[in-house]
Amino acid sequence: MTQNWAPETVVVETGRPPREHDAALNPPITLTSTFIGTAGIEDGGRQYGRYGNPTWEPFEAALAELEGSALPGLVFASGLAAVTAALDLVAPGGTVIMPRHCYLGALSGAQESAAAGRFRIVTVDIEDTAEVTAAIDAAVAGAGDRASGRDRSVLLWLESPTNPMLEVADLPALLAHARAAGALSVVDNTFATPLVQKPLEHGADVVLHSVTKSLSGHSDVVLGATVTADPELRELLHHHRSVRGGIAGPFEVWLALRGLRTLALRVERSQANALALAERLSEYPGLEVRFPGLATDPGHARAAAQMTGFGSILCIVLPTAEAARTVAESVRLWTPATSLGGVESLIERRRRHAAEPESVPEGLLRLSVGIEHVDDLWADLEQALDTALG
């Protein structure tokens, strides 16, 4: 981290090749499975395609700069590969404290590991700070002498806002409590992006992203990433990636870096669209609207205090699953599909996934707002709502 640049500049300039006469402006794609050399693996270096690739490094440097770490990030084959690596940080027999609502892949993967006896899970209402801190204290007390961040017996897993309910956690308070108690902390920052929220600044040990979403931004790659400022944790995550094989393809990472260059513009436009749509939807009869950018939202005050924006994901809750399904089938500009964070606007009834917690309403639609003209988005959504509720 050598420059005092604004994030809007970092996404454009970081990860460029050295400025030399006739040099390329953009980093190349390196397609190789191995590297020439005789030094031992323990001596560092790339050595082999599972340990590193020059194409990964510009993206990893840019993401670390955005999140505020002096250590390069680590790119993974998918968001779930990054999740698996982060969950692997907890010691065998330890405890993972997770939001009851969070990325379904993380929740399902953690539940499978818990069922296999790898660790135990405690799910909490992430909006209830007292409940979460009590769960941390109980887990640390149960770990006894093993309870310290270095022993990794307790891991606090956070999302804010959560997927799909958009609950907002008190990140500064929860991360400070976890650190003081000796628990590790991981924050999935996919929804907010580092342009809107920087969990490392609030005390997180590890930040995680599904690069598939807003960072790459064009719905054409599947990637994940982690960032940490702790050398020991980074080495553990890097080791997991190397020996478990969750590595990214060079071409996909090159595309992600290209997508990252426009992140600031995309976030600015999609956030503005999301707020405008949330305000219009809040006046539509028969709907519950969830979006931390609305002054009436339960998470608004927290989000305004710890974020520089409110993101581009909002939810509406219709009276029935059938009404929500009709909306998703009636849109023509919005695309009914899973995923989020692309330039196009997507809409999905989350309970179509059988594994989604029952506490997610049957009639909930998650809207990932893109960069189209807001009036066109509204007109399409309004006619679909009229079809379902009219």
Side-chain angles (χ1 to χ4, degrees):
M1 299 173 65
T2 59
Q3 303 288 341
N4 189 26
W5 285 333
E8 294 86 350
T9 304
V10 170
V11 296
V12 175
E13 294 298 328
T14 304
R16 298 282 184 185
R19 291 194 173 197
E20 299 172 353
H21 181 68
D22 283 342
L25 175 64
N26 294 310
I29 304 172
T30 301
L31 299 175
T32 186
S33 62
T34 192
F35 299 89
I36 299 168
T38 58
I41 299 295
E42 67 275 6
D43 296 328
R46 299 187 183 102
Q47 306 289 340
Y48 183 64
R50 264 191 298 111
Y51 304 121
N53 184 290
T55 315
W56 301 348
E57 293 162 11
F59 179 84
E60 293 174 332
L63 182 57
E65 186 85 11
L66 286 170
E67 286 289 5
S69 173
L71 300 177
L74 290 166
V75 67
F76 287 80
S78 67
L80 195 52
V83 166
T84 303
L87 286 173
D88 199 44
L89 291 173
V90 70
T95 301
V96 178
I97 300 166
M98 302 188 77
R100 58 176 178 155
H101 302 127
C102 64
Y103 168 50
L104 190 56
L107 187 60
S108 299
Q111 289 170 340
E112 289 184 8
S113 292
R118 170 73 177 77
F119 49 69
R120 74 183 189 103
I121 299 176
V122 176
T123 57
V124 292
D125 177 358
I126 212 67
E127 291 181 304
D128 189 336
T129 301
E131 179 184 338
V132 181
T133 56
I136 295 170
D137 292 342
V140 170
D145 293 339
R146 295 189 304 135
S148 75
R150 297 307 95 196
D151 291 330
R152 308 191 309 278
S153 59
V154 180
L155 176 64
L156 174 64
W157 191 277
L158 294 174
E159 281 186 18
S160 184
T162 61
N163 183 6
M165 299 294 282
L166 298 180
E167 299 141 323
V168 179
D170 188 340
L171 287 183
L174 294 180
L175 292 171
H177 190 89
R179 185 170 291 271
L184 286 179
S185 58
V186 174
V187 178
D188 186 333
N189 205 29
T190 300
F191 269 27
T193 83
L195 294 187
V196 176
Q197 181 170 269
K198 296 182 185 294
L200 292 180
E201 292 183 354
H202 296 304
D205 291 304
V206 177
V207 176
L208 183 144
H209 286 276
S210 173
V211 179
T212 308
K213 312 303 194 296
S214 296
L215 295 184
S216 61
H218 292 80
S219 302
D220 54 9
V221 300
V222 175
L223 292 170
T226 60
V227 181
T228 180
D230 186 311
E232 181 181 345
L233 293 178
R234 188 185 186 279
E235 179 53 35
L236 289 169
L237 293 165
H238 182 268
H239 179 76
H240 182 283
R241 184 180 71 176
S242 298
V243 301
R244 303 293 176 86
I247 62 170
F251 183 65
E252 287 79 5
V253 181
W254 185 86
L255 283 175
L257 180 61
R258 186 174 69 164
L260 191 71
R261 301 305 187 198
T262 61
L263 178 64
L265 295 174
R266 292 186 283 105
V267 166
E268 180 180 6
R269 177 61 173 262
S270 61
Q271 282 196 132
N273 281 352
L275 179 58
L277 291 172
E279 290 171 343
R280 297 183 192 186
L281 286 164
S282 66
E283 297 177 357
Y284 194 99
L287 290 181
E288 176 189 349
V289 182
R290 300 178 181 226
F291 182 65
L294 294 174
T296 55
D297 189 89
H300 177 74
R302 278 183 185 170
Q306 65 195 30
M307 302 168 71
T308 59
F310 300 103
S312 58
I313 311 298
L314 62 92
C315 291
I316 55 176
V317 183
L318 285 85
T320 65
E322 183 59 33
R325 193 160 35 242
T326 298
V327 170
E329 292 172 350
S330 300
V331 290
R332 295 295 176 263
L333 175 57
W334 293 77
T335 301
T338 196
S339 199
L340 53 99
V343 294
E344 64 288 311
S345 294
L346 305 181
I347 187 169
E348 182 182 37
R349 189 178 79 87
R350 288 300 300 171
R351 282 295 296 278
R352 76 188 182 104
H353 300 278
E356 196 73 68
E358 293 183 1
S359 50
V360 174
E362 286 278 4
L364 182 140
L365 288 169
R366 187 184 69 188
L367 281 63
S368 172
V369 183
I371 65 172
E372 305 94 337
H373 196 288
V374 69
D375 290 341
D376 292 333
L377 291 172
W378 170 247
D380 187 42
L381 197 54
E382 185 178 36
Q383 65 81 22
L385 288 168
D386 290 346
T387 299
L389 301 177

